[in-house]
Amino acid sequence: MAFLDIHHLEKSFGALRVVKDFNLGIEKGEFVSFLGPSGCGKTTVLRMVAGFETPTSGAIRIDGQDVTAAPANRRKIGMVFQAYALFPNLTVEQNIGFGLRVAGEGKTETAKRVAEMLELIGLPRLGSRYPFQLSGGQQQRVALARALAVRPQVLLLDEPLSALDAKIRVSLREEIRRIQRDLGITTIFVTHDQEEALSMSDRVVVMHQGVADQVGTPFEIYNRPATRFVAQFVGTLNLLDADLMDAAAGHIRLGDVPVALNRTLPGRVGDRISLALRPETVALGRREHGSVVLAGHIAEVHFLGSVIRIRVTVAGQLVSLDTFNRPDRPPPAVGTPVEVSVSDRDLLVLAA
Amino acid sequence: MTGKRLWSWLAVVLGGLYFLLPLVGMFDFSLRMQRDGYSFEAYRIVLTDAQFQQTFGYSVGLALLTIVLGILIVVPTAYFVRLRFPGLRPIVEFITLLPLVIPPIVIVFGYIRIYNTSSILPLTGSWWGTNILLLFGYATLSLPYMYRSVDTGLRTIDIASLTEAAQSLGAGWSRILAIVILPNVFVSVLSGAFLTFAIVIGEYVFAALLNVNSFGPYMVWMGGNRAYEPSALAVVAFIITWACMGLIQLFTRFSKFSTVRR
């Protein structure tokens, strides 16, 4: 059994089912992100783990113990909130020491642990400040230290970086990951930002309408999306409609162009299927062996700096592709006839 | 100076005179006890009067107890209404405003009817009972001021997040209220407390009808029996009230973490 075990979890608010049969096992020391748009139920699952919401049905076990009915203050869970939620009337030291004080730790013990935590978050000299005297990034670090000071079994992070500006966000997410690795603490991180989820996590849970659409490593989630939603939500994607010609041999037709995928496909002859391909897997021009080559013409060119995003009309449908900028080679003009090639392995067939 | 400004100043001066002249007159009168000029003789008599000291001390004590009771009732109520039962807010607000709508004389007659010596709970029959009744009555009178200010204070902090943060760190309700919520609405509690203090100090109707010898009835008795001393007493009462208002301002402005606003 996993360290944190979420078993057939359901939550309804009135007639609205916001979490549907959610199952997940998280190993000790693992960093798992819940990724999804707002309203997908990711925060609700997190709040049920924290004990702030009561599940309609299902069970939550931590280290073999059923905590489903335990009140929030008995769960030994550390939580970091989007709005920091530092106690404004307490200094940084008092904030970090709050949980230890509640647990009845001695003064010297507490002071030692607080100093340790301040060192860990790299703010050893700000202990006597009040929260309003700190920047947003510093406040969130203190909130992290406060959650970790009591040595919780599980750390929950509820969009902790959303209120910060872009630069701080990147540096703080690296720091959170470093601290998490150092302490080996089991962590759930809720975010709607795919870059955060992909860059930080051991595994990502992509949630959609209360259901975990896919659970996998960032690499799997990005390269082998299991559903149309995951494919569309994570990263940029080209979606093409095609007709299935021969499922066993893997023959499809893209507009008028026959394409051989050289693998067995689900479905029957004549089915309409969706093909997905990432812009970075499509190349301008004809490539060698094993590639599918499609003819079309340039429809749009967007110069983004290091990357140039080009849209090509292929078989009546738009395909985006990315190429690196090269100073000696200006981007092609709109209307130019071109060929694009893509490896047949990178053409993903999506379940509807 | 433009004509518009002139009119504004005129309005301010007229308004100021309207309010200040009676006070100046009263103050002037309170200083004229001795024939041969101004003196603080009336004040000396009032302040050294044993009855003044006794009734004033009693009222101050009762006011402080009222404040403590008011905090104990209002802070948890306002907190849980905001956190858990936001739908009840209009109802609770209506209830807390009732003491402004129902005249004190009606309330106190209700008390006397319910808690008289031939009732199940004969509070008016003993000294302790009467004092407790008066304390509860004053706590009721202070509700509108206490609730409003505490509720306003709670609005300025994110009580839901703070509560959850404290819970996840292992704190129970009493600790959350005492360490996290109360200190953060302390300035609001204080402004409610000073208003309560000012009300209780001079309250007459409850005290007189429950036959308690507090500062309010003493002032009325003084007014009926002396000439200069009542004016001195009124000035003293005014100063106390104004001092309370001044303290509200002071505490609001110099609170250590009052710059924290979410």
Side-chain angles (χ1 to χ4, degrees), chain A residues 248-290:
Chain A
H251 288 296
I252 59 169
R253 186 185 282 277
L254 205 65
D256 298 331
V257 188
V259 176
L261 291 183
N262 301 325
R263 60 177 188 265
T264 311
L265 301 172
R268 284 173 308 183
V269 176
D271 277 359
R272 197 90 169 138
I273 57 170
S274 285
L275 288 179
L277 73 166
R278 299 279 180 207
E280 65 269 27
T281 62
V282 186
L284 261 189
R286 182 177 286 269
R287 268 195 312 205
E288 313 86 64
H289 184 69

Side-chain angles (χ1 to χ4, degrees), chain A residues 262-321:
Chain A
N262 301 325
R263 60 177 188 265
T264 311
L265 301 172
R268 284 173 308 183
V269 176
D271 277 359
R272 197 90 169 138
I273 57 170
S274 285
L275 288 179
L277 73 166
R278 299 279 180 207
E280 65 269 27
T281 62
V282 186
L284 261 189
R286 182 177 286 269
R287 268 195 312 205
E288 313 86 64
H289 184 69
S291 289
V292 176
V293 179
L294 301 164
H297 60 269
I298 307 270
E300 296 166 29
V301 176
H302 299 277
F303 186 75
L304 305 176
S306 64
V307 169
I308 301 168
R309 177 154 292 175
I310 299 172
R311 289 188 209 276
V312 181
T313 311
V314 173
Q317 304 184 60
L318 274 182
V319 174
S320 289
L321 62 96

Side-chain angles (χ1 to χ4, degrees), chain A residues 47 50-52 72-74 76-79 81 83-90 95 98-103 130-132 139 146-147 150, chain B residues 84 157-158 160-173 175-176 178-184 255-262:
Chain A
R47 290 174 59 79
F52 301 138
N73 57 351
R74 303 263 166 79
K76 288 192 178 171
I77 277 176
M79 179 122 177
F81 300 83
Y84 323 135
L86 292 178
F87 307 128
N89 56 313
L90 303 181
N95 262 288
F98 183 89
L100 301 166
R101 186 171 155 195
V102 170
Y130 281 95
F132 76 90
Q139 286 193 50
R146 180 180 67 175
V150 290
Chain B
R84 288 284 150 88
I157 56 171
D158 183 357
S161 293
L162 290 182
T163 302
E164 287 176 357
Q167 277 183 319
S168 72
L169 292 166
W173 290 117
R175 205 186 286 260
I176 292 174
I179 304 184
V180 178
I181 301 302
L182 192 58
N184 283 307
S255 158
K256 205 163 36 170
F257 41 85
S258 65
T259 42
V260 180
R261 288 289 176 265
R262 273 157 203 289

